[in-house]
Coordinates of all heavy atoms in Angstrom, one line a residue:
G1 N 3.0 -9.1 -24.8 CA 3.9 -8.7 -23.8 C 3.3 -8.9 -22.4 O 2.1 -9.1 -22.3
F2 N 4.1 -8.6 -21.4 CA 3.6 -8.8 -20.0 C 3.7 -7.4 -19.3 O 4.6 -6.6 -19.6 CB 4.5 -9.8 -19.3 CG 4.4 -11.2 -19.9 CD1 5.4 -11.6 -20.7 CD2 3.3 -11.9 -19.7 CE1 5.4 -12.9 -21.2 CE2 3.3 -13.2 -20.2 CZ 4.3 -13.7 -21.1
L3 N 2.8 -7.2 -18.5 CA 2.7 -5.9 -17.7 C 2.8 -6.1 -16.2 O 2.0 -6.9 -15.7 CB 1.4 -5.2 -18.1 CG 1.1 -3.8 -17.6 CD1 2.2 -2.8 -18.0 CD2 -0.3 -3.3 -18.0
H4 N 3.7 -5.5 -15.6 CA 3.8 -5.5 -14.1 C 3.9 -4.1 -13.7 O 4.6 -3.3 -14.1 CB 5.1 -6.3 -13.7 CG 5.3 -6.2 -12.2 ND1 6.1 -5.3 -11.7 CD2 4.8 -7.0 -11.3 CE1 6.1 -5.5 -10.3 NE2 5.4 -6.5 -10.1
Y5 N 3.0 -3.8 -12.6 CA 3.0 -2.5 -12.0 C 2.6 -2.5 -10.6 O 2.0 -3.5 -10.1 CB 2.2 -1.5 -12.9 CG 0.8 -1.8 -13.0 CD1 -0.2 -1.2 -12.2 CD2 0.3 -2.7 -14.0 CE1 -1.6 -1.5 -12.3 CE2 -1.0 -3.1 -14.2 CZ -1.9 -2.5 -13.3 OH -3.3 -2.8 -13.5
V6 N 3.0 -1.3 -9.9 CA 2.7 -1.3 -8.5 C 1.8 0.0 -8.3 O 2.2 1.1 -8.8 CB 4.0 -1.2 -7.6 CG1 3.6 -1.0 -6.2 CG2 4.8 -2.5 -7.9
V7 N 0.8 -0.1 -7.5 CA -0.1 1.1 -7.2 C 0.1 1.3 -5.6 O -0.2 0.5 -4.9 CB -1.5 0.9 -7.6 CG1 -2.3 2.1 -7.2 CG2 -1.6 0.7 -9.1
T8 N 0.6 2.5 -5.3 CA 0.7 2.9 -3.9 C -0.4 4.0 -3.7 O -0.5 4.9 -4.4 CB 2.1 3.5 -3.6 OG1 3.1 2.6 -4.0 CG2 2.3 3.9 -2.2
D9 N -1.1 3.8 -2.5 CA -2.2 4.7 -2.3 C -2.3 5.1 -0.8 O -2.1 4.2 0.1 CB -3.5 3.9 -2.7 CG -4.8 4.7 -2.7 OD1 -4.7 6.0 -2.9 OD2 -5.8 4.2 -2.4
C10 N -2.7 6.3 -0.5 CA -3.0 6.8 0.9 C -4.5 7.3 0.8 O -4.8 8.3 0.1 CB -2.1 8.0 1.2 SG -0.3 7.5 1.3
E11 N -5.3 6.6 1.5 CA -6.7 7.0 1.6 C -6.9 7.7 3.0 O -6.4 7.1 4.0 CB -7.7 5.8 1.4 CG -7.6 5.3 0.1 CD -8.6 4.0 -0.1 OE1 -9.6 4.0 0.6 OE2 -8.3 3.3 -1.0
F12 N -7.7 8.8 3.0 CA -7.8 9.5 4.3 C -9.0 10.3 4.4 O -9.5 10.7 3.4 CB -6.6 10.5 4.4 CG -6.4 11.5 3.4 CD1 -6.9 12.7 3.5 CD2 -5.7 11.2 2.2 CE1 -6.7 13.7 2.6 CE2 -5.6 12.1 1.2 CZ -6.1 13.4 1.4
N13 N -9.5 10.5 5.6 CA -10.7 11.3 5.9 C -10.2 12.6 6.6 O -11.0 13.5 6.7 CB -11.6 10.5 6.8 CG -12.2 9.4 6.1 OD1 -12.6 9.5 4.9 ND2 -12.5 8.3 6.8
S14 N -8.9 12.6 7.2 CA -8.5 13.8 7.8 C -6.9 13.6 7.8 O -6.4 12.6 7.3 CB -9.0 13.9 9.3 OG -8.3 13.0 10.1
S15 N -6.3 14.6 8.3 CA -4.8 14.5 8.4 C -4.3 13.7 9.7 O -3.1 13.8 9.9 CB -4.2 15.9 8.3 OG -4.6 16.7 9.4
K16 N -5.2 13.2 10.4 CA -4.8 12.4 11.6 C -4.3 11.0 11.2 O -4.9 10.4 10.3 CB -6.0 12.3 12.6 CG -6.4 13.6 13.2 CD -7.6 13.4 14.1 CE -8.0 14.7 14.6 NZ -9.3 14.6 15.3
L17 N -3.3 10.6 11.9 CA -2.7 9.2 11.5 C -3.7 8.1 11.6 O -3.7 7.2 10.6 CB -1.5 8.9 12.4 CG -0.6 7.8 11.9 CD1 0.0 8.0 10.5 CD2 0.5 7.6 12.9
N18 N -4.6 8.1 12.4 CA -5.6 7.0 12.6 C -6.6 7.0 11.5 O -7.2 5.9 11.3 CB -6.4 7.2 14.0 CG -5.5 6.9 15.1 OD1 -4.5 6.2 15.0 ND2 -6.0 7.3 16.3
D19 N -6.8 8.2 10.8 CA -7.7 8.2 9.7 C -7.1 7.9 8.3 O -7.7 8.2 7.2 CB -8.4 9.6 9.6 CG -9.2 9.8 10.9 OD1 -9.7 8.8 11.4 OD2 -9.4 11.0 11.2
I20 N -5.8 7.4 8.3 CA -5.1 7.2 7.1 C -4.9 5.7 6.8 O -4.6 4.9 7.8 CB -3.7 7.9 7.1 CG1 -3.9 9.4 7.2 CG2 -2.9 7.5 5.8 CD1 -2.7 10.1 7.5
E21 N -5.1 5.2 5.6 CA -4.8 3.8 5.2 C -3.8 3.9 4.1 O -4.1 4.4 3.1 CB -6.0 3.0 4.8 CG -5.6 1.6 4.5 CD -6.7 0.8 4.0 OE1 -7.8 1.2 3.7 OE2 -6.6 -0.5 4.1
Y22 N -2.7 3.1 4.2 CA -1.6 3.1 3.2 C -1.8 1.7 2.6 O -1.8 0.6 3.3 CB -0.3 3.2 3.8 CG 0.9 2.8 2.8 CD1 1.3 3.7 2.0 CD2 1.5 1.5 2.9 CE1 2.3 3.4 1.1 CE2 2.5 1.2 2.1 CZ 2.9 2.2 1.1 OH 4.0 1.8 0.3
T23 N -1.9 1.6 1.3 CA -1.9 0.3 0.6 C -0.8 0.4 -0.5 O -0.6 1.4 -1.1 CB -3.3 0.1 -0.1 OG1 -3.7 1.1 -0.9 CG2 -4.4 -0.1 0.9
E24 N -0.3 -0.8 -0.9 CA 0.6 -1.0 -1.9 C 0.1 -2.3 -2.7 O 0.3 -3.4 -2.0 CB 2.0 -1.1 -1.4 CG 3.0 -1.1 -2.5 CD 4.4 -1.1 -1.8 OE1 4.8 0.0 -1.4 OE2 5.1 -2.1 -1.8
S25 N -0.3 -2.2 -3.9 CA -0.8 -3.3 -4.6 C 0.1 -3.6 -5.8 O 0.5 -2.7 -6.5 CB -2.2 -3.0 -5.1 OG -3.1 -2.8 -4.1
Y26 N 0.3 -5.0 -5.9 CA 1.1 -5.4 -7.0 C 0.3 -6.2 -8.1 O -0.4 -7.0 -7.7 CB 2.3 -6.3 -6.6 CG 3.2 -5.7 -5.7 CD1 3.0 -5.4 -4.3 CD2 4.5 -5.4 -6.2 CE1 3.8 -4.9 -3.5 CE2 5.5 -4.7 -5.4 CZ 5.1 -4.5 -4.0 OH 6.1 -3.8 -3.2
Y27 N 0.4 -5.7 -9.4 CA -0.4 -6.4 -10.4 C 0.5 -6.9 -11.4 O 1.6 -6.4 -11.7 CB -1.2 -5.2 -11.1 CG -2.2 -4.5 -10.3 CD1 -2.0 -3.6 -9.4 CD2 -3.6 -5.0 -10.3 CE1 -3.0 -3.0 -8.6 CE2 -4.6 -4.5 -9.6 CZ -4.2 -3.4 -8.6 OH -5.2 -2.9 -7.9
Y28 N 0.0 -8.0 -12.0 CA 0.6 -8.6 -13.2 C -0.5 -8.9 -14.2 O -1.4 -9.6 -13.9 CB 1.3 -9.9 -12.7 CG 2.0 -10.6 -13.9 CD1 3.3 -10.1 -14.3 CD2 1.6 -11.8 -14.5 CE1 3.9 -10.7 -15.4 CE2 2.3 -12.4 -15.4 CZ 3.4 -11.9 -15.9 OH 4.1 -12.5 -17.0
N29 N -0.3 -8.3 -15.4 CA -1.3 -8.5 -16.5 C -2.7 -8.1 -16.1 O -3.7 -8.9 -16.2 CB -1.3 -9.8 -17.1 CG -0.1 -10.0 -18.0 OD1 0.6 -9.1 -18.4 ND2 0.1 -11.3 -18.4
K30 N -2.8 -6.9 -15.4 CA -4.1 -6.4 -14.9 C -4.8 -7.2 -13.7 O -5.8 -6.9 -13.4 CB -5.1 -6.2 -16.0 CG -4.6 -5.3 -17.1 CD -5.6 -5.2 -18.2 CE -5.2 -4.4 -19.3 NZ -6.2 -4.2 -20.3
L31 N -4.0 -8.1 -13.2 CA -4.6 -9.0 -12.1 C -3.7 -8.6 -10.9 O -2.5 -8.7 -10.9 CB -4.4 -10.4 -12.4 CG -4.9 -11.5 -11.3 CD1 -6.5 -11.3 -11.2 CD2 -4.6 -12.8 -11.8
E32 N -4.5 -8.3 -9.8 CA -3.8 -8.0 -8.5 C -3.4 -9.3 -7.9 O -4.2 -10.3 -7.7 CB -4.7 -7.2 -7.5 CG -4.0 -6.9 -6.3 CD -4.9 -6.0 -5.4 OE1 -6.2 -6.1 -5.4 OE2 -4.3 -5.3 -4.5
I33 N -2.0 -9.4 -7.7 CA -1.5 -10.6 -7.1 C -1.2 -10.6 -5.6 O -1.3 -11.6 -4.9 CB -0.2 -11.1 -8.0 CG1 0.8 -10.0 -7.9 CG2 -0.6 -11.5 -9.3 CD1 2.1 -10.5 -8.5
I34 N -0.8 -9.4 -5.1 CA -0.4 -9.2 -3.8 C -0.7 -7.8 -3.3 O -0.6 -6.9 -4.2 CB 0.9 -9.7 -3.5 CG1 1.2 -9.7 -2.0 CG2 1.9 -8.7 -4.2 CD1 2.6 -10.4 -1.7
R35 N -1.1 -7.6 -2.0 CA -1.4 -6.2 -1.5 C -0.9 -6.1 0.0 O -1.0 -7.0 0.7 CB -2.8 -6.0 -1.5 CG -3.2 -4.6 -0.9 CD -4.7 -4.4 -0.7 NE -5.3 -4.4 -2.0 CZ -6.6 -4.5 -2.2 NH1 -7.4 -4.4 -1.1 NH2 -7.2 -4.5 -3.4
F36 N -0.3 -5.0 0.3 CA 0.0 -4.7 1.7 C -1.0 -3.5 2.1 O -1.2 -2.6 1.4 CB 1.4 -4.1 1.9 CG 1.6 -3.7 3.3 CD1 1.9 -4.6 4.3 CD2 1.4 -2.3 3.7 CE1 2.1 -4.1 5.7 CE2 1.5 -1.9 5.0 CZ 1.8 -2.8 6.0
S37 N -1.7 -3.8 3.2 CA -2.6 -2.7 3.7 C -2.2 -2.4 5.1 O -2.0 -3.3 6.0 CB -4.1 -3.3 3.6 OG -4.9 -2.4 4.4
S38 N -2.1 -1.2 5.4 CA -1.8 -0.8 6.8 C -2.8 -1.2 7.9 O -2.6 -1.4 9.0 CB -1.4 0.7 6.9 OG -2.6 1.5 6.6
S39 N -4.1 -1.3 7.4 CA -5.1 -1.7 8.3 C -5.1 -3.1 8.6 O -5.5 -3.5 9.7 CB -6.5 -1.3 7.7 OG -6.7 -2.0 6.5
V40 N -4.5 -4.0 7.8 CA -4.3 -5.4 8.0 C -3.0 -5.6 8.7 O -2.7 -6.5 9.5 CB -4.5 -6.3 6.7 CG1 -4.2 -7.7 7.0 CG2 -5.8 -6.1 6.1
G41 N -2.0 -4.8 8.2 CA -0.6 -4.9 8.9 C 0.3 -5.9 8.3 O 1.3 -6.2 8.8
K42 N -0.1 -6.5 7.1 CA 0.7 -7.5 6.5 C 0.3 -7.6 4.9 O -0.7 -7.0 4.5 CB 0.5 -8.8 7.1 CG -0.9 -9.4 7.0 CD -0.9 -10.7 7.7 CE -2.3 -11.4 7.5 NZ -2.4 -12.8 8.0
F43 N 1.2 -8.4 4.2 CA 0.9 -8.7 2.9 C -0.2 -9.7 2.7 O -0.1 -10.7 3.5 CB 2.1 -9.1 2.1 CG 3.1 -8.0 1.9 CD1 4.1 -7.8 2.9 CD2 3.1 -7.2 0.8 CE1 5.1 -6.7 2.6 CE2 4.0 -6.2 0.6 CZ 5.0 -6.0 1.5
V44 N -1.0 -9.6 1.8 CA -2.0 -10.7 1.5 C -2.0 -11.1 0.0 O -2.0 -10.1 -0.8 CB -3.5 -10.1 1.8 CG1 -4.6 -11.2 1.4 CG2 -3.6 -9.7 3.3
G45 N -1.9 -12.3 -0.3 CA -1.8 -12.7 -1.7 C -3.2 -13.1 -2.2 O -4.0 -13.6 -1.5
Y46 N -3.4 -12.9 -3.6 CA -4.7 -13.1 -4.1 C -4.6 -14.2 -5.2 O -5.6 -14.6 -5.8 CB -5.2 -11.8 -4.7 CG -5.6 -10.9 -3.7 CD1 -4.8 -9.8 -3.5 CD2 -6.6 -11.0 -2.8 CE1 -5.0 -8.7 -2.6 CE2 -6.8 -10.0 -1.8 CZ -6.1 -8.9 -1.7 OH -6.3 -8.0 -0.8
T47 N -3.3 -14.6 -5.5 CA -3.1 -15.8 -6.5 C -2.2 -16.7 -5.9 O -1.6 -16.4 -4.8 CB -2.5 -15.2 -7.8 OG1 -1.2 -14.6 -7.5 CG2 -3.4 -14.1 -8.5
E48 N -2.0 -17.8 -6.5 CA -1.1 -18.8 -6.0 C 0.4 -18.2 -5.8 O 1.0 -18.4 -4.7 CB -1.0 -20.0 -6.9 CG -0.1 -21.2 -6.4 CD -0.2 -22.4 -7.3 OE1 -1.0 -22.5 -8.2 OE2 0.8 -23.1 -7.3
V49 N 0.8 -17.5 -6.8 CA 2.1 -16.9 -6.7 C 2.1 -15.7 -5.5 O 3.0 -15.6 -4.8 CB 2.6 -16.3 -8.0 CG1 3.8 -15.4 -7.9 CG2 2.8 -17.4 -9.0
G50 N 1.0 -15.0 -5.6 CA 0.9 -13.9 -4.5 C 0.9 -14.5 -3.2 O 1.4 -13.8 -2.2
I51 N 0.2 -15.6 -2.9 CA 0.1 -16.2 -1.5 C 1.6 -16.6 -1.1 O 2.0 -16.3 0.0 CB -0.8 -17.4 -1.5 CG1 -2.3 -16.8 -1.8 CG2 -0.7 -18.1 -0.3 CD1 -3.3 -17.9 -2.0
K52 N 2.3 -17.2 -2.0 CA 3.7 -17.6 -1.7 C 4.6 -16.4 -1.4 O 5.3 -16.4 -0.3 CB 4.3 -18.4 -2.9 CG 3.7 -19.8 -3.0 CD 4.2 -20.5 -4.1 CE 3.5 -21.9 -4.3 NZ 4.1 -22.6 -5.5
N53 N 4.5 -15.4 -2.2 CA 5.2 -14.2 -1.9 C 4.8 -13.5 -0.7 O 5.7 -12.9 0.1 CB 5.1 -13.2 -3.2 CG 6.1 -13.7 -4.2 OD1 7.3 -13.7 -4.1 ND2 5.6 -14.1 -5.3
A54 N 3.5 -13.4 -0.4 CA 3.0 -12.8 0.8 C 3.6 -13.5 2.1 O 4.0 -12.9 3.0 CB 1.5 -12.8 0.9
E55 N 3.6 -14.8 2.1 CA 4.2 -15.5 3.2 C 5.7 -15.2 3.3 O 6.1 -14.9 4.4 CB 4.1 -17.0 2.9 CG 4.6 -17.8 4.1 CD 4.3 -19.3 3.9 OE1 3.4 -19.7 3.2 OE2 5.2 -20.1 4.3
R56 N 6.5 -15.1 2.2 CA 7.9 -14.7 2.3 C 8.1 -13.3 2.7 O 8.9 -13.0 3.7 CB 8.5 -14.9 0.9 CG 9.9 -14.6 0.8 CD 10.5 -14.7 -0.7 NE 9.8 -13.9 -1.6 CZ 9.9 -12.6 -1.8 NH1 10.9 -11.9 -1.0 NH2 9.3 -11.9 -2.7
L57 N 7.3 -12.4 2.3 CA 7.4 -10.9 2.6 C 7.0 -10.7 4.0 O 7.6 -9.8 4.7 CB 6.6 -10.1 1.7 CG 7.1 -10.0 0.2 CD1 6.0 -9.4 -0.6 CD2 8.4 -9.3 0.2
N58 N 6.1 -11.4 4.5 CA 5.6 -11.2 5.9 C 6.6 -11.8 7.0 O 6.6 -11.4 8.1 CB 4.3 -11.9 6.2 CG 3.1 -11.1 5.4 OD1 3.2 -9.9 5.4 ND2 2.1 -11.8 5.0
N59 N 7.5 -12.6 6.5 CA 8.5 -13.1 7.4 C 9.9 -12.5 7.2 O 10.9 -12.9 7.8 CB 8.7 -14.7 7.1 CG 7.5 -15.5 7.6 OD1 6.9 -15.2 8.6 ND2 7.1 -16.4 6.8
G60 N 9.9 -11.4 6.5 CA 11.1 -10.7 6.2 C 11.0 -9.2 6.7 O 10.0 -8.7 7.2
P61 N 12.1 -8.5 6.4 CA 12.1 -7.1 6.7 C 11.2 -6.1 6.0 O 10.9 -5.0 6.4 CB 13.6 -6.6 6.5 CG 14.1 -7.6 5.4 CD 13.3 -8.9 5.7
E62 N 10.7 -6.6 4.9 CA 9.7 -5.9 4.0 C 8.5 -5.5 4.7 O 8.0 -4.3 4.5 CB 9.3 -6.6 2.7 CG 10.6 -6.9 1.8 CD 11.3 -8.2 2.1 OE1 11.0 -8.9 3.1 OE2 12.3 -8.5 1.4
V63 N 7.9 -6.3 5.5 CA 6.6 -6.0 6.2 C 6.9 -4.9 7.2 O 6.0 -4.0 7.3 CB 6.0 -7.2 6.8 CG1 6.8 -7.7 8.1 CG2 4.5 -7.0 7.2
I64 N 8.0 -4.8 7.8 CA 8.3 -3.8 8.9 C 8.5 -2.5 8.1 O 8.0 -1.5 8.5 CB 9.5 -4.2 9.6 CG1 9.2 -5.4 10.5 CG2 10.0 -3.0 10.5 CD1 10.5 -6.1 11.1
A65 N 9.1 -2.5 7.0 CA 9.3 -1.3 6.2 C 8.0 -0.7 5.6 O 7.8 0.5 5.7 CB 10.3 -1.5 4.9
R66 N 7.1 -1.6 5.3 CA 5.7 -1.1 4.8 C 4.9 -0.6 5.9 O 4.2 0.4 5.6 CB 5.0 -2.3 4.0 CG 5.7 -2.8 2.8 CD 6.1 -1.7 1.8 NE 6.6 -2.2 0.6 CZ 7.8 -2.7 0.4 NH1 8.6 -2.9 1.4 NH2 8.1 -3.1 -0.8
R67 N 5.0 -1.2 7.0 CA 4.2 -0.6 8.2 C 4.7 0.9 8.5 O 3.8 1.6 8.9 CB 4.5 -1.5 9.4 CG 3.7 -2.8 9.3 CD 4.1 -3.7 10.5 NE 3.4 -5.0 10.3 CZ 3.8 -6.1 11.0 NH1 4.8 -6.1 11.8 NH2 3.2 -7.3 10.8
A68 N 5.9 1.1 8.3 CA 6.4 2.5 8.5 C 6.0 3.5 7.5 O 6.0 4.7 7.7 CB 7.9 2.5 8.7
Q69 N 5.6 3.0 6.3 CA 5.2 3.9 5.2 C 4.0 4.7 5.5 O 3.9 5.9 5.0 CB 5.0 3.1 4.0 CG 6.2 2.6 3.3 CD 7.2 3.7 2.8 OE1 8.0 4.1 3.5 NE2 6.9 4.0 1.6
K70 N 3.1 4.3 6.3 CA 1.9 5.0 6.6 C 2.3 6.3 7.2 O 1.7 7.4 6.8 CB 1.0 4.2 7.6 CG -0.2 5.0 8.1 CD -1.1 4.1 9.0 CE -2.3 4.8 9.6 NZ -3.0 3.9 10.4
E71 N 3.2 6.3 8.2 CA 3.6 7.5 8.8 C 4.6 8.4 8.0 O 4.4 9.6 7.8 CB 4.2 7.3 10.1 CG 4.5 8.6 11.0 CD 4.9 8.2 12.5 OE1 4.7 7.0 12.9 OE2 5.3 9.1 13.1
S72 N 5.6 7.7 7.4 CA 6.7 8.4 6.7 C 6.2 8.9 5.3 O 6.6 10.0 4.9 CB 7.9 7.5 6.5 OG 7.6 6.5 5.7
Y73 N 5.4 8.2 4.7 CA 5.0 8.6 3.3 C 3.6 9.2 3.3 O 3.5 10.4 2.8 CB 4.9 7.4 2.3 CG 4.5 7.6 0.9 CD1 5.2 8.3 0.1 CD2 3.2 7.2 0.6 CE1 4.7 8.6 -1.3 CE2 2.7 7.5 -0.7 CZ 3.4 8.1 -1.5 OH 3.0 8.4 -2.9
C74 N 2.6 8.6 3.9 CA 1.2 9.2 3.8 C 1.1 10.5 4.7 O 0.6 11.5 4.3 CB 0.2 8.2 4.2 SG 0.1 6.8 3.1
L75 N 1.5 10.4 5.9 CA 1.2 11.5 6.8 C 1.7 12.9 6.3 O 1.0 13.9 6.3 CB 1.8 11.2 8.2 CG 1.4 12.2 9.3 CD1 -0.1 12.1 9.5 CD2 2.0 11.8 10.7
S76 N 2.9 12.9 5.9 CA 3.5 14.2 5.3 C 2.8 14.7 4.0 O 2.5 15.8 3.9 CB 4.9 14.1 5.0 OG 5.3 13.0 4.0
N77 N 2.5 13.7 3.1 CA 1.7 14.0 1.9 C 0.3 14.4 2.1 O -0.2 15.3 1.4 CB 1.9 12.9 0.9 CG 3.3 12.8 0.3 OD1 3.9 13.8 0.0 ND2 3.9 11.6 0.3
V78 N -0.3 13.7 3.1 CA -1.7 14.1 3.3 C -1.8 15.4 3.9 O -2.7 16.1 3.5 CB -2.3 13.0 4.3 CG1 -3.6 13.5 4.9 CG2 -2.6 11.7 3.6
G79 N -0.9 15.8 4.7 CA -1.0 17.2 5.2 C -0.8 18.3 4.1 O -1.5 19.2 4.2
I80 N 0.0 18.0 3.2 CA 0.2 18.9 2.0 C -1.1 18.9 1.2 O -1.6 19.9 0.8 CB 1.3 18.4 1.2 CG1 2.7 18.6 1.9 CG2 1.4 19.1 -0.2 CD1 3.9 17.9 1.2
D81 N -1.7 17.7 0.9 CA -3.0 17.7 0.1 C -4.1 18.4 0.8 O -4.8 19.1 0.2 CB -3.3 16.2 -0.1 CG -2.3 15.5 -1.0 OD1 -1.6 16.2 -1.8 OD2 -2.3 14.3 -1.2
V82 N -4.2 18.2 2.1 CA -5.3 18.8 2.9 C -5.2 20.3 2.9 O -6.1 21.0 2.6 CB -5.4 18.2 4.3 CG1 -6.3 19.1 5.2 CG2 -5.8 16.8 4.4
E83 N -4.0 20.8 3.1 CA -3.7 22.2 3.1 C -3.9 22.9 1.8 O -4.5 23.9 1.6 CB -2.3 22.5 3.5 CG -1.8 24.0 3.6 CD -2.6 24.7 4.7 OE1 -3.0 24.1 5.7 OE2 -2.9 26.0 4.5
S84 N -3.5 22.1 0.7 CA -3.8 22.6 -0.7 C -5.2 22.7 -0.9 O -5.7 23.6 -1.6 CB -3.1 21.7 -1.6 OG -3.3 22.1 -3.0
A85 N -6.0 21.7 -0.6 CA -7.4 21.7 -0.8 C -8.1 22.8 -0.1 O -9.0 23.4 -0.6 CB -8.1 20.2 -0.5
L86 N -7.8 23.0 1.1 CA -8.5 24.0 1.9 C -8.2 25.5 1.4 O -9.0 26.3 1.5 CB -8.0 23.9 3.5 CG -8.5 22.6 4.1 CD1 -7.9 22.6 5.5 CD2 -10.0 22.6 4.2
T87 N -7.0 25.7 0.9 CA -6.6 26.9 0.4 C -7.3 27.3 -0.9 O -7.4 28.4 -1.3 CB -5.1 27.2 0.4 OG1 -4.6 26.3 -0.5 CG2 -4.5 27.2 1.8
K88 N -7.7 26.3 -1.6 CA -8.2 26.5 -3.0 C -9.7 26.4 -3.0 O -10.3 26.6 -4.1 CB -7.6 25.5 -4.0 CG -6.1 25.8 -4.2 CD -5.5 24.9 -5.2 CE -4.0 25.4 -5.3 NZ -3.2 24.6 -6.1
S89 N -10.3 25.9 -2.0 CA -11.8 25.7 -2.0 C -12.5 27.0 -1.5 O -12.0 27.8 -1.0 CB -12.2 24.6 -1.2 OG -11.8 24.7 0.2

């Protein structure tokens, strides 16, 4: 069989927006084929298919939507995680 999955990640050092990096990685059969990183600001392909898709995604509305994820997805969740960690430590 074939396996396709997406890993979404928010890495942070504090709850400040500048200290957060949002990544979204697409895998096929355990091989990362394409990734969006908020620090780069665009999709980057790692395979022949990934490079073609990165070019297509970077020229469409998908790249704009992913850029907004850092603030809309990460910022609110990081605040919850930081508060939870501080109250339990």
Side-chain angles (χ1 to χ4, degrees):
F2 300 99
L3 181 63
H4 174 264
Y5 58 98
V6 179
V7 176
T8 303
D9 188 33
C10 298
E11 294 184 23
F12 59 95
N13 292 322
S14 75
S15 58
K16 295 178 184 173
L17 191 60
N18 291 342
D19 293 333
I20 300 171
E21 181 183 17
Y22 170 80
T23 58
E24 187 174 286
S25 299
Y26 294 79
Y27 292 85
Y28 183 74
N29 283 348
K30 299 181 182 179
L31 178 66
E32 186 175 22
I33 57 173
I34 190 170
R35 176 189 301 172
F36 175 84
S37 169
S38 63
S39 62
V40 177
K42 65 180 185 175
F43 289 91
V44 176
Y46 297 106
T47 64
E48 184 178 337
V49 171
I51 292 168
K52 289 178 184 178
N53 279 294
E55 185 177 323
R56 178 182 58 81
L57 293 168
N58 287 328
N59 291 317
E62 294 86 359
V63 74
I64 295 167
R66 293 313 182 286
R67 288 176 183 157
Q69 288 294 90
K70 177 179 174 179
E71 189 169 350
S72 65
Y73 177 73
C74 291
L75 190 59
S76 61
N77 287 316
V78 165
I80 293 167
D81 291 344
V82 168
E83 183 64 29
S84 176
L86 291 176
T87 59
K88 293 184 179 174
S89 59

